[in-house]
Amino acid sequence: MDNRNEAADRKRQPEGANPPANKRSKTSETVSADVQRASNKIAQQPTKIHYTRLRRRMDEEEEEKLAKLGPQPNDGTTKLTDVNVDCLEHIFKNLSLIDLLNVADSNKQLKPAADLVFASRYGKQWIFILSRYKSILIFERNMYPPTVQIPRSFRLKLLRCFGHLITKLDITHDKHMDAYVNEYCAESLVEIKFQRCKASTLDDLKKPFTQVKTLCFDSCKLGSKLSELDKWFPKVRRLEFTDRNETAVHFPHLQHLTLSLPIDTNNRLNNLSELLRLYLNTRSLSIIGYFEFKYLQSVSEHLQHLERLDINPFGYFSNVGNDTVHFPNVKKLKLRDVVRESRLRWATH
C-alpha cells in the first residue's frame, strides 16, 4: 500500500518541480555553450567590421582606376577608336571628302587619321569657294576638270575641320567665311586670292597670314585699307592686282608684280610710276590692260633689276613713234599681240 501511495504522489507532482539530476546537468552545459558562442561572436565583430571597410575602400580605388582608363570593352571586341592611326589612315583613304568631313567633325580620336588623308589628297591643291558656284571646287594645278566638288553648304565645316591643312584658297568675300579663313587658315595658307572683297574684309581679320607668299586681288575695292596689307601679309613675294588701286603698299620681300590697268583709270602714268618706285628690286613684272607706250618707258626707268617681263595689252599701243625701251637685265620677255606696230623696237640685253 505504501508503495502505491508513493507512486500516486509522484504522478500528482508537477513536471519540472524536481527534475532529475541528469537533466539539470544537461541544461547547464547548454547554457554554458550558448554563453561561449555569444562571447566569441562579440569578440570577432570588430575584425569583421574592419575587413568590410577595407574591402569597400579597395573596391572604390579599383573603380577610380578604371574610370581614368576610360570604358573598357567587356565583350572581347575591338572598337574603331582602338585602332592605331596608320590603320585608320588606310581605312579612311576609301572615304569621300564629305564622309571624311563627317568623321573629322564627329570624333576627336579619329580626326588625326582624317587629317593625314586630307593632307595627302588635297593639301597642295587649289580650293575654290566662290559665290558664283553652287559647289566647292578642288583643282589640281588649277586645271579643269576639278578633282572633286562638294556642295557649297560644307564650306564652313571644311574650313573648321581642315583649314589648318589648306595651302591654296580662292574665295569670294563673305563676312562669316572671311572670319573662318582667318581663324583656321592663317598659319597654313601659302597662296590666297580674294574676289570682290571690300575694305571691311581687313577689319574682320584678327591675326596675320604668316605663310602667304602669293597674294591676289580680283575686282576688289580696298581703298585706303590697301596700305595695311603688309601688316596682314608680311611675307608676300608675289602680288597680283586685277583692278585699279589708287593707294600703293610696300612689301619688302616682293619679287613678282602683276598689274592690270583699266581703260577708265585717270592719271594712270602717275599711279604706275608711284607704284613702281616702291618695288625697285622687283625681278618679274606682268602688265595687263589698256596702256600706252610711255608706260613701258616708266617701267624701264624704275625697274632696273627686272629679269622677266610679260606684256599683254588690250588693243594696240598708241604714240609709239620712234622711241626705244631698254631693259638691260631682262632674260625672259613675253609679248602677246604687241608687235603690231612696225615702228616698235625692243632693246634687251
Side-chain angles (χ1 to χ4, degrees):
M1 288 294 293
D2 294 336
N3 292 333
R4 292 176 184 176
N5 293 332
E6 290 179 359
D9 291 339
R10 283 196 299 268
K11 289 182 180 180
R12 287 194 297 268
Q13 186 177 5
E15 295 181 4
N18 287 312
N22 61 344
K23 283 188 177 182
R24 287 197 302 269
S25 176
K26 187 175 182 179
T27 302
S28 176
E29 291 175 358
T30 303
V31 171
S32 298
D34 292 339
V35 171
Q36 184 65 32
R37 282 196 297 269
S39 299
N40 293 338
K41 185 175 181 180
I42 293 173
Q44 294 177 0
Q45 189 173 5
T47 303
K48 289 184 178 180
I49 294 174
H50 176 72
Y51 174 80
T52 303
R53 291 177 179 175
L54 180 61
R55 185 63 185 174
R56 185 183 301 115
R57 182 178 177 182
M58 292 175 62
D59 292 340
E60 290 175 353
E61 290 178 354
E62 187 68 21
E63 290 177 359
E64 290 177 0
K65 291 181 180 179
L66 293 176
K68 291 180 179 179
L69 295 175
Q72 301 296 318
N74 54 9
D75 55 356
T77 60
T78 301
K79 297 181 180 180
L80 187 60
T81 52
D82 298 328
V83 181
N84 62 52
V85 175
D86 293 334
C87 293
L88 289 175
E89 180 186 3
H90 183 73
I91 296 172
F92 292 165
K93 285 181 178 179
N94 300 309
L95 299 179
S96 66
L97 179 54
I98 293 180
D99 292 336
L100 201 62
L101 275 170
N102 292 332
V103 168
D105 193 41
S106 61
N107 192 297
K108 292 182 179 180
Q109 293 177 274
L110 302 179
K111 191 176 185 302
D115 286 348
L116 292 174
V117 175
F118 183 90
S120 63
R121 190 185 296 176
Y122 309 112
K124 296 182 179 180
Q125 297 191 11
W126 271 99
I127 297 179
F128 287 74
I129 309 179
L130 305 178
S131 59
R132 63 176 180 269
Y133 297 145
K134 295 182 179 179
S135 302
I136 298 173
L137 305 178
I138 301 180
F139 288 87
E140 183 176 2
R141 297 179 182 177
N142 202 15
M143 296 178 64
Y144 200 86
T147 304
V148 67
Q149 58 184 40
I150 60 176
R152 193 169 180 269
S153 57
F154 283 89
R155 64 190 186 279
L156 298 183
K157 180 184 287 189
L158 176 66
L159 296 173
R160 185 176 67 251
C161 293
F162 297 127
H164 62 291
L165 302 172
I166 297 174
T167 59
K168 302 176 182 179
L169 185 62
D170 191 334
I171 60 171
T172 304
H173 167 69
D174 180 276
K175 183 175 182 180
H176 297 289
M177 193 165 62
D178 292 342
Y180 265 64
V181 169
N182 187 236
E183 175 67 21
Y184 298 104
C185 307
E187 289 82 18
S188 62
L189 281 176
V190 178
E191 302 181 41
I192 185 169
K193 181 177 181 179
F194 293 95
Q195 298 198 33
R196 303 182 183 279
C197 67
K198 302 178 181 179
S200 59
T201 300
L202 300 182
D203 294 334
D204 297 329
L205 302 183
K206 303 299 182 182
K207 52 186 177 180
F209 292 85
T210 57
Q211 302 302 320
V212 169
K213 302 295 191 299
T214 299
L215 177 62
C216 180
F217 293 97
D218 185 0
S219 302
C220 299
K221 298 180 180 180
L222 298 177
S224 60
K225 292 292 184 178
L226 185 62
S227 59
E228 301 178 7
L229 288 181
D230 59 337
K231 171 185 175 182
W232 302 110
F233 305 93
K235 296 184 179 180
V236 169
R237 300 177 64 88
R238 185 183 186 94
L239 179 63
E240 299 180 8
F241 288 120
T242 59
D243 58 352
R244 176 171 65 98
N245 289 279
E246 298 179 355
T247 305
V249 58
H250 175 63
F251 291 98
H253 306 289
L254 192 69
Q255 295 293 320
H256 178 85
L257 179 63
T258 297
L259 298 176
S260 178
L261 302 176
I263 192 174
D264 60 345
T265 301
N266 297 323
N267 300 320
R268 282 177 293 175
L269 180 59
N270 293 333
N271 293 336
L272 179 62
S273 299
E274 179 185 354
L275 185 62
L276 295 178
R277 277 193 289 269
L278 292 174
Y279 307 117
L280 298 179
N281 295 321
T282 299
R283 297 294 191 272
S284 176
L285 175 65
S286 297
I287 303 178
I288 305 171
Y290 297 90
F291 52 93
E292 299 179 1
F293 183 74
K294 57 185 178 181
Y295 301 153
L296 293 177
Q297 293 176 324
S298 179
V299 172
S300 64
E301 175 185 352
H302 293 93
L303 304 183
Q304 295 294 321
H305 302 286
L306 198 64
E307 297 177 358
R308 178 171 178 171
L309 180 60
D310 185 357
I311 301 175
N312 183 16
F314 297 163
Y316 293 92
F317 276 101
S318 61
N319 302 323
V320 175
N322 295 319
D323 295 330
T324 299
V325 288
H326 183 57
F327 299 98
N329 296 310
V330 170
K331 299 176 181 179
K332 187 172 183 180
L333 178 64
K334 184 180 291 186
L335 310 175
R336 304 180 185 182
D337 298 328
V338 170
V339 190
R340 297 183 179 184
E341 294 279 351
S342 59
R343 294 173 295 177
L344 183 61
R345 300 194 303 274
W346 301 87
T348 59
H349 182 65

